[in-house]
mmCIF file of all heavy atoms in Angstrom:
data_model
loop_
_atom_site.group_PDB
_atom_site.id
_atom_site.type_symbol
_atom_site.label_atom_id
_atom_site.label_comp_id
_atom_site.label_asym_id
_atom_site.label_seq_id
_atom_site.Cartn_x
_atom_site.Cartn_y
_atom_site.Cartn_z
ATOM 1 N N TYR A 14 0.630 -2.062 -10.236
ATOM 2 C CA TYR A 14 2.071 -2.006 -10.017
ATOM 3 C C TYR A 14 2.538 -3.272 -9.299
ATOM 4 O O TYR A 14 1.796 -3.846 -8.496
ATOM 5 C CB TYR A 14 2.462 -0.804 -9.155
ATOM 6 C CG TYR A 14 2.370 0.542 -9.837
ATOM 7 C CD1 TYR A 14 2.375 1.694 -9.060
ATOM 8 C CD2 TYR A 14 2.301 0.698 -11.211
ATOM 9 C CE1 TYR A 14 2.297 2.955 -9.640
ATOM 10 C CE2 TYR A 14 2.227 1.949 -11.799
ATOM 11 C CZ TYR A 14 2.228 3.061 -11.006
ATOM 12 O OH TYR A 14 2.150 4.307 -11.588
ATOM 13 N N PRO A 15 3.793 -3.669 -9.521
ATOM 14 C CA PRO A 15 4.335 -4.807 -8.769
ATOM 15 C C PRO A 15 4.374 -4.472 -7.269
ATOM 16 O O PRO A 15 4.524 -3.309 -6.878
ATOM 17 C CB PRO A 15 5.757 -4.962 -9.317
ATOM 18 C CG PRO A 15 5.794 -4.169 -10.583
ATOM 19 C CD PRO A 15 4.735 -3.123 -10.490
ATOM 20 N N GLU A 16 4.245 -5.490 -6.434
ATOM 21 C CA GLU A 16 4.195 -5.276 -4.982
ATOM 22 C C GLU A 16 5.448 -4.565 -4.462
ATOM 23 O O GLU A 16 5.359 -3.732 -3.566
ATOM 24 C CB GLU A 16 3.998 -6.595 -4.233
ATOM 25 C CG GLU A 16 3.752 -6.344 -2.755
ATOM 26 C CD GLU A 16 3.275 -7.565 -2.001
ATOM 27 O OE1 GLU A 16 2.812 -8.519 -2.633
ATOM 28 O OE2 GLU A 16 3.372 -7.527 -0.763
ATOM 29 N N GLU A 17 6.620 -4.862 -5.044
ATOM 30 C CA GLU A 17 7.850 -4.196 -4.594
ATOM 31 C C GLU A 17 7.767 -2.692 -4.838
ATOM 32 O O GLU A 17 8.206 -1.890 -4.009
ATOM 33 C CB GLU A 17 9.091 -4.753 -5.309
ATOM 34 C CG GLU A 17 9.458 -6.158 -4.919
ATOM 35 C CD GLU A 17 8.703 -7.196 -5.753
ATOM 36 O OE1 GLU A 17 8.357 -6.915 -6.918
ATOM 37 O OE2 GLU A 17 8.445 -8.281 -5.219
ATOM 38 N N ARG A 18 7.220 -2.309 -5.986
ATOM 39 C CA ARG A 18 7.098 -0.876 -6.293
ATOM 40 C C ARG A 18 6.109 -0.205 -5.349
ATOM 41 O O ARG A 18 6.344 0.896 -4.859
ATOM 42 C CB ARG A 18 6.667 -0.674 -7.743
ATOM 43 C CG ARG A 18 6.582 0.787 -8.117
ATOM 44 C CD ARG A 18 6.386 0.985 -9.582
ATOM 45 N NE ARG A 18 6.357 2.419 -9.892
ATOM 46 C CZ ARG A 18 6.046 2.905 -11.058
ATOM 47 N NH1 ARG A 18 5.765 2.102 -12.052
ATOM 48 N NH2 ARG A 18 6.032 4.203 -11.249
ATOM 49 N N ILE A 19 4.990 -0.864 -5.103
ATOM 50 C CA ILE A 19 3.995 -0.318 -4.180
ATOM 51 C C ILE A 19 4.607 -0.147 -2.796
ATOM 52 O O ILE A 19 4.460 0.914 -2.172
ATOM 53 C CB ILE A 19 2.738 -1.224 -4.134
ATOM 54 C CG1 ILE A 19 2.009 -1.165 -5.478
ATOM 55 C CG2 ILE A 19 1.820 -0.819 -2.979
ATOM 56 C CD1 ILE A 19 0.890 -2.176 -5.635
ATOM 57 N N SER A 20 5.309 -1.163 -2.322
ATOM 58 C CA SER A 20 5.949 -1.084 -0.998
ATOM 59 C C SER A 20 6.966 0.043 -0.943
ATOM 60 O O SER A 20 7.040 0.782 0.044
ATOM 61 C CB SER A 20 6.624 -2.412 -0.651
ATOM 62 O OG SER A 20 5.658 -3.413 -0.495
ATOM 63 N N TYR A 21 7.757 0.184 -2.007
ATOM 64 C CA TYR A 21 8.740 1.258 -2.053
ATOM 65 C C TYR A 21 8.060 2.628 -1.995
ATOM 66 O O TYR A 21 8.491 3.511 -1.257
ATOM 67 C CB TYR A 21 9.609 1.155 -3.318
ATOM 68 C CG TYR A 21 10.500 2.353 -3.477
ATOM 69 C CD1 TYR A 21 11.665 2.476 -2.712
ATOM 70 C CD2 TYR A 21 10.169 3.398 -4.341
ATOM 71 C CE1 TYR A 21 12.478 3.592 -2.828
ATOM 72 C CE2 TYR A 21 10.974 4.511 -4.463
ATOM 73 C CZ TYR A 21 12.132 4.608 -3.703
ATOM 74 O OH TYR A 21 12.917 5.718 -3.801
ATOM 75 N N MET A 22 6.987 2.799 -2.771
ATOM 76 C CA MET A 22 6.286 4.082 -2.799
ATOM 77 C C MET A 22 5.714 4.424 -1.419
ATOM 78 O O MET A 22 5.791 5.569 -0.973
ATOM 79 C CB MET A 22 5.173 4.061 -3.851
ATOM 80 C CG MET A 22 5.676 4.015 -5.275
ATOM 81 S SD MET A 22 4.356 3.783 -6.485
ATOM 82 C CE MET A 22 3.614 5.420 -6.460
ATOM 83 N N LEU A 23 5.155 3.438 -0.758
ATOM 84 C CA LEU A 23 4.591 3.667 0.578
ATOM 85 C C LEU A 23 5.675 4.045 1.576
ATOM 86 O O LEU A 23 5.521 4.979 2.358
ATOM 87 C CB LEU A 23 3.827 2.424 1.048
ATOM 88 C CG LEU A 23 2.531 2.138 0.303
ATOM 89 C CD1 LEU A 23 2.025 0.738 0.631
ATOM 90 C CD2 LEU A 23 1.487 3.188 0.642
ATOM 91 N N GLU A 24 6.780 3.321 1.533
ATOM 92 C CA GLU A 24 7.876 3.593 2.463
ATOM 93 C C GLU A 24 8.535 4.939 2.166
ATOM 94 O O GLU A 24 8.755 5.753 3.063
ATOM 95 C CB GLU A 24 8.915 2.473 2.380
ATOM 96 C CG GLU A 24 10.037 2.623 3.389
ATOM 97 C CD GLU A 24 11.034 1.479 3.291
ATOM 98 O OE1 GLU A 24 10.630 0.336 3.026
ATOM 99 O OE2 GLU A 24 12.237 1.761 3.486
ATOM 100 N N ASP A 25 8.826 5.190 0.901
ATOM 101 C CA ASP A 25 9.509 6.412 0.501
ATOM 102 C C ASP A 25 8.684 7.664 0.796
ATOM 103 O O ASP A 25 9.226 8.698 1.176
ATOM 104 C CB ASP A 25 9.856 6.348 -0.987
ATOM 105 C CG ASP A 25 10.731 7.509 -1.427
ATOM 106 O OD1 ASP A 25 11.801 7.706 -0.816
ATOM 107 O OD2 ASP A 25 10.329 8.215 -2.368
ATOM 108 N N SER A 26 7.372 7.568 0.636
ATOM 109 C CA SER A 26 6.501 8.725 0.851
ATOM 110 C C SER A 26 6.228 8.988 2.323
ATOM 111 O O SER A 26 5.840 10.093 2.697
ATOM 112 C CB SER A 26 5.171 8.519 0.131
ATOM 113 O OG SER A 26 4.424 7.482 0.756
ATOM 114 N N GLY A 27 6.382 7.960 3.157
ATOM 115 C CA GLY A 27 6.047 8.104 4.568
ATOM 116 C C GLY A 27 4.544 8.135 4.800
ATOM 117 O O GLY A 27 4.085 8.684 5.814
ATOM 118 N N ALA A 28 3.773 7.559 3.891
ATOM 119 C CA ALA A 28 2.313 7.558 4.017
ATOM 120 C C ALA A 28 1.900 6.859 5.309
ATOM 121 O O ALA A 28 2.192 5.690 5.507
ATOM 122 C CB ALA A 28 1.681 6.870 2.809
ATOM 123 N N GLY A 29 1.203 7.596 6.162
ATOM 124 C CA GLY A 29 0.748 7.037 7.434
ATOM 125 C C GLY A 29 -0.542 6.267 7.312
ATOM 126 O O GLY A 29 -0.878 5.455 8.169
ATOM 127 N N SER A 30 -1.276 6.509 6.230
ATOM 128 C CA SER A 30 -2.534 5.810 5.980
ATOM 129 C C SER A 30 -2.576 5.370 4.530
ATOM 130 O O SER A 30 -1.993 6.004 3.657
ATOM 131 C CB SER A 30 -3.734 6.723 6.250
ATOM 132 O OG SER A 30 -3.785 7.118 7.588
ATOM 133 N N LEU A 31 -3.307 4.283 4.315
ATOM 134 C CA LEU A 31 -3.460 3.727 2.976
ATOM 135 C C LEU A 31 -4.926 3.386 2.772
ATOM 136 O O LEU A 31 -5.494 2.585 3.520
ATOM 137 C CB LEU A 31 -2.597 2.478 2.815
ATOM 138 C CG LEU A 31 -2.807 1.637 1.553
ATOM 139 C CD1 LEU A 31 -2.420 2.426 0.310
ATOM 140 C CD2 LEU A 31 -2.002 0.346 1.638
ATOM 141 N N ILE A 32 -5.537 3.997 1.774
ATOM 142 C CA ILE A 32 -6.906 3.658 1.395
ATOM 143 C C ILE A 32 -6.808 2.618 0.288
ATOM 144 O O ILE A 32 -6.146 2.843 -0.724
ATOM 145 C CB ILE A 32 -7.671 4.899 0.898
ATOM 146 C CG1 ILE A 32 -7.755 5.960 2.002
ATOM 147 C CG2 ILE A 32 -9.059 4.509 0.408
ATOM 148 C CD1 ILE A 32 -8.360 7.284 1.562
ATOM 149 N N VAL A 33 -7.451 1.471 0.502
ATOM 150 C CA VAL A 33 -7.360 0.356 -0.435
ATOM 151 C C VAL A 33 -8.758 -0.030 -0.907
ATOM 152 O O VAL A 33 -9.684 -0.111 -0.104
ATOM 153 C CB VAL A 33 -6.677 -0.860 0.219
ATOM 154 C CG1 VAL A 33 -6.529 -2.002 -0.768
ATOM 155 C CG2 VAL A 33 -5.334 -0.492 0.780
ATOM 156 N N GLN A 34 -8.877 -0.299 -2.205
ATOM 157 C CA GLN A 34 -10.176 -0.631 -2.780
ATOM 158 C C GLN A 34 -10.529 -2.109 -2.647
ATOM 159 O O GLN A 34 -11.679 -2.451 -2.422
ATOM 160 C CB GLN A 34 -10.207 -0.223 -4.248
ATOM 161 C CG GLN A 34 -11.584 -0.292 -4.862
ATOM 162 C CD GLN A 34 -11.624 0.412 -6.199
ATOM 163 O OE1 GLN A 34 -10.604 0.652 -6.835
ATOM 164 N NE2 GLN A 34 -12.813 0.769 -6.632
ATOM 165 N N HIS A 35 -9.538 -2.986 -2.785
ATOM 166 C CA HIS A 35 -9.798 -4.433 -2.766
ATOM 167 C C HIS A 35 -8.939 -5.111 -1.701
ATOM 168 O O HIS A 35 -7.762 -4.789 -1.564
ATOM 169 C CB HIS A 35 -9.489 -5.051 -4.129
ATOM 170 C CG HIS A 35 -10.206 -4.382 -5.264
ATOM 171 N ND1 HIS A 35 -11.559 -4.499 -5.452
ATOM 172 C CD2 HIS A 35 -9.762 -3.576 -6.254
ATOM 173 C CE1 HIS A 35 -11.917 -3.803 -6.516
ATOM 174 N NE2 HIS A 35 -10.841 -3.226 -7.025
ATOM 175 N N PRO A 36 -9.506 -6.077 -0.960
ATOM 176 C CA PRO A 36 -8.754 -6.733 0.127
ATOM 177 C C PRO A 36 -7.447 -7.379 -0.336
ATOM 178 O O PRO A 36 -6.448 -7.330 0.389
ATOM 179 C CB PRO A 36 -9.720 -7.801 0.650
ATOM 180 C CG PRO A 36 -11.021 -7.576 0.006
ATOM 181 C CD PRO A 36 -10.850 -6.603 -1.109
ATOM 182 N N GLU A 37 -7.446 -7.929 -1.534
ATOM 183 C CA GLU A 37 -6.243 -8.620 -2.016
ATOM 184 C C GLU A 37 -5.107 -7.654 -2.356
ATOM 185 O O GLU A 37 -3.969 -8.078 -2.553
ATOM 186 C CB GLU A 37 -6.568 -9.500 -3.233
ATOM 187 C CG GLU A 37 -7.033 -8.754 -4.456
ATOM 188 C CD GLU A 37 -8.548 -8.490 -4.505
ATOM 189 O OE1 GLU A 37 -9.251 -8.707 -3.509
ATOM 190 O OE2 GLU A 37 -9.009 -8.052 -5.562
ATOM 191 N N ASP A 38 -5.372 -6.356 -2.396
ATOM 192 C CA ASP A 38 -4.343 -5.372 -2.740
ATOM 193 C C ASP A 38 -3.573 -4.836 -1.539
ATOM 194 O O ASP A 38 -2.620 -4.075 -1.706
ATOM 195 C CB ASP A 38 -4.971 -4.194 -3.494
ATOM 196 C CG ASP A 38 -5.436 -4.580 -4.888
ATOM 197 O OD1 ASP A 38 -4.923 -5.573 -5.444
ATOM 198 O OD2 ASP A 38 -6.327 -3.890 -5.424
ATOM 199 N N VAL A 39 -3.970 -5.192 -0.323
ATOM 200 C CA VAL A 39 -3.271 -4.687 0.869
ATOM 201 C C VAL A 39 -1.856 -5.257 0.881
ATOM 202 O O VAL A 39 -1.676 -6.472 0.922
ATOM 203 C CB VAL A 39 -4.012 -5.072 2.173
ATOM 204 C CG1 VAL A 39 -3.237 -4.592 3.386
ATOM 205 C CG2 VAL A 39 -5.428 -4.512 2.173
ATOM 206 N N PRO A 40 -0.835 -4.389 0.825
ATOM 207 C CA PRO A 40 0.545 -4.876 0.812
ATOM 208 C C PRO A 40 0.903 -5.559 2.135
ATOM 209 O O PRO A 40 0.595 -5.051 3.214
ATOM 210 C CB PRO A 40 1.387 -3.607 0.630
ATOM 211 C CG PRO A 40 0.436 -2.573 0.140
ATOM 212 C CD PRO A 40 -0.900 -2.938 0.691
ATOM 213 N N ALA A 41 1.564 -6.688 2.026
ATOM 214 C CA ALA A 41 1.915 -7.481 3.205
ATOM 215 C C ALA A 41 2.838 -6.728 4.156
ATOM 216 O O ALA A 41 2.718 -6.862 5.374
ATOM 217 C CB ALA A 41 2.566 -8.791 2.764
ATOM 218 N N ARG A 42 3.743 -5.909 3.619
ATOM 219 C CA ARG A 42 4.746 -5.257 4.471
ATOM 220 C C ARG A 42 4.335 -3.867 4.946
ATOM 221 O O ARG A 42 5.115 -3.204 5.632
ATOM 222 C CB ARG A 42 6.074 -5.160 3.717
ATOM 223 C CG ARG A 42 6.643 -6.521 3.369
ATOM 224 C CD ARG A 42 8.057 -6.483 2.841
ATOM 225 N NE ARG A 42 8.410 -5.315 2.059
ATOM 226 C CZ ARG A 42 8.893 -5.348 0.842
ATOM 227 N NH1 ARG A 42 9.053 -6.484 0.222
ATOM 228 N NH2 ARG A 42 9.221 -4.236 0.217
ATOM 229 N N TYR A 43 3.146 -3.412 4.629
ATOM 230 C CA TYR A 43 2.741 -2.058 5.044
ATOM 231 C C TYR A 43 2.320 -2.073 6.505
ATOM 232 O O TYR A 43 1.504 -2.879 6.934
ATOM 233 C CB TYR A 43 1.603 -1.546 4.168
ATOM 234 C CG TYR A 43 1.181 -0.135 4.530
ATOM 235 C CD1 TYR A 43 2.051 0.934 4.338
ATOM 236 C CD2 TYR A 43 -0.061 0.112 5.088
ATOM 237 C CE1 TYR A 43 1.676 2.227 4.675
ATOM 238 C CE2 TYR A 43 -0.448 1.405 5.419
ATOM 239 C CZ TYR A 43 0.429 2.447 5.219
ATOM 240 O OH TYR A 43 0.062 3.717 5.556
ATOM 241 N N SER A 44 2.887 -1.135 7.290
ATOM 242 C CA SER A 44 2.615 -1.128 8.729
ATOM 243 C C SER A 44 1.749 0.055 9.179
ATOM 244 O O SER A 44 1.463 0.178 10.365
ATOM 245 C CB SER A 44 3.937 -1.121 9.507
ATOM 246 O OG SER A 44 4.689 0.031 9.171
ATOM 247 N N GLY A 45 1.332 0.905 8.258
ATOM 248 C CA GLY A 45 0.488 2.041 8.620
ATOM 249 C C GLY A 45 -0.980 1.640 8.721
ATOM 250 O O GLY A 45 -1.332 0.456 8.661
ATOM 251 N N ARG A 46 -1.837 2.642 8.869
ATOM 252 C CA ARG A 46 -3.284 2.395 8.950
ATOM 253 C C ARG A 46 -3.821 2.042 7.574
ATOM 254 O O ARG A 46 -3.546 2.738 6.603
ATOM 255 C CB ARG A 46 -4.015 3.640 9.455
ATOM 256 C CG ARG A 46 -3.819 3.919 10.928
ATOM 257 C CD ARG A 46 -4.562 5.180 11.356
ATOM 258 N NE ARG A 46 -4.084 6.398 10.701
ATOM 259 C CZ ARG A 46 -2.988 7.069 11.056
ATOM 260 N NH1 ARG A 46 -2.268 6.661 12.069
ATOM 261 N NH2 ARG A 46 -2.623 8.149 10.411
ATOM 262 N N VAL A 47 -4.624 0.984 7.501
ATOM 263 C CA VAL A 47 -5.269 0.582 6.257
ATOM 264 C C VAL A 47 -6.751 0.896 6.375
ATOM 265 O O VAL A 47 -7.415 0.495 7.322
ATOM 266 C CB VAL A 47 -5.060 -0.918 5.970
ATOM 267 C CG1 VAL A 47 -5.842 -1.345 4.736
ATOM 268 C CG2 VAL A 47 -3.579 -1.221 5.788
ATOM 269 N N ILE A 48 -7.254 1.644 5.404
ATOM 270 C CA ILE A 48 -8.667 2.005 5.350
ATOM 271 C C ILE A 48 -9.242 1.305 4.132
ATOM 272 O O ILE A 48 -8.824 1.557 3.006
ATOM 273 C CB ILE A 48 -8.839 3.533 5.265
ATOM 274 C CG1 ILE A 48 -8.234 4.162 6.523
ATOM 275 C CG2 ILE A 48 -10.286 3.909 5.081
ATOM 276 C CD1 ILE A 48 -7.783 5.563 6.359
ATOM 277 N N SER A 49 -10.174 0.425 4.372
ATOM 278 C CA SER A 49 -10.701 -0.415 3.295
ATOM 279 C C SER A 49 -11.963 0.192 2.692
ATOM 280 O O SER A 49 -12.941 0.417 3.390
ATOM 281 C CB SER A 49 -10.982 -1.819 3.820
ATOM 282 O OG SER A 49 -11.831 -1.755 4.944
ATOM 283 N N LEU A 50 -11.912 0.429 1.382
ATOM 284 C CA LEU A 50 -13.067 0.980 0.685
ATOM 285 C C LEU A 50 -14.237 -0.005 0.680
ATOM 286 O O LEU A 50 -15.389 0.408 0.691
ATOM 287 C CB LEU A 50 -12.707 1.365 -0.747
ATOM 288 C CG LEU A 50 -11.847 2.610 -0.915
ATOM 289 C CD1 LEU A 50 -11.479 2.814 -2.372
ATOM 290 C CD2 LEU A 50 -12.562 3.831 -0.385
#
């Protein structure tokens, strides 16, 4: 997905944590907890 869509989904959902598979996929504007696979 485009970064804007990902950021919108994270913000709209209120996700407090984000599990990410690849380091390059961590959204720049996400302020919650990032858990790296």
